[in-house]
Amino acid sequence: MSMKKTDLVKNLAKKIDGQMKGVAVPGRYGQAASAVIDKREQRRLDAQAGLLPFACKLPADLVRQLHDCAVGHEGGLNALIAQLLGQSLQNEAKK
């Protein structure tokens, strides 16, 4: 016995729905999303990586430029500033 087109579509929808329910939830939306590292733990991880906090005051337009450049940088703002400072210090040492 052949099925109507609507029945075929319903069966396909049920199949797709079942496949969607069987897929695991990605970590960024599941329990891993709620696991926030506290500040003390983050400081410990930074210290293990050899990172130290460094605060300075910069003009607002320079900060905006840094943020704009950091969007395209693979390491983010911290890596961009480390790279720029390293290059600047190397140039100063050559003088």
Side-chain angles (χ1 to χ4, degrees), residues 30-91:
Q31 292 176 342
S34 63
V36 177
I37 299 176
D38 63 339
K39 289 182 182 181
R40 195 174 282 181
E41 179 69 15
Q42 185 63 48
R43 275 191 236 118
R44 187 184 65 76
L45 293 173
D46 288 346
Q48 284 179 348
L51 303 174
L52 297 173
F54 181 77
C56 62
K57 294 184 180 186
L58 300 172
D61 58 336
L62 181 60
V63 172
R64 271 189 239 104
Q65 289 177 348
L66 286 171
H67 280 284
D68 292 341
C69 290
V71 170
H73 197 270
E74 64 187 49
L77 183 62
N78 290 329
L80 174 67
I81 292 176
Q83 178 185 357
L84 292 174
L85 284 174
Q87 289 173 353
S88 178
L89 290 173
Q90 286 179 354
N91 290 341

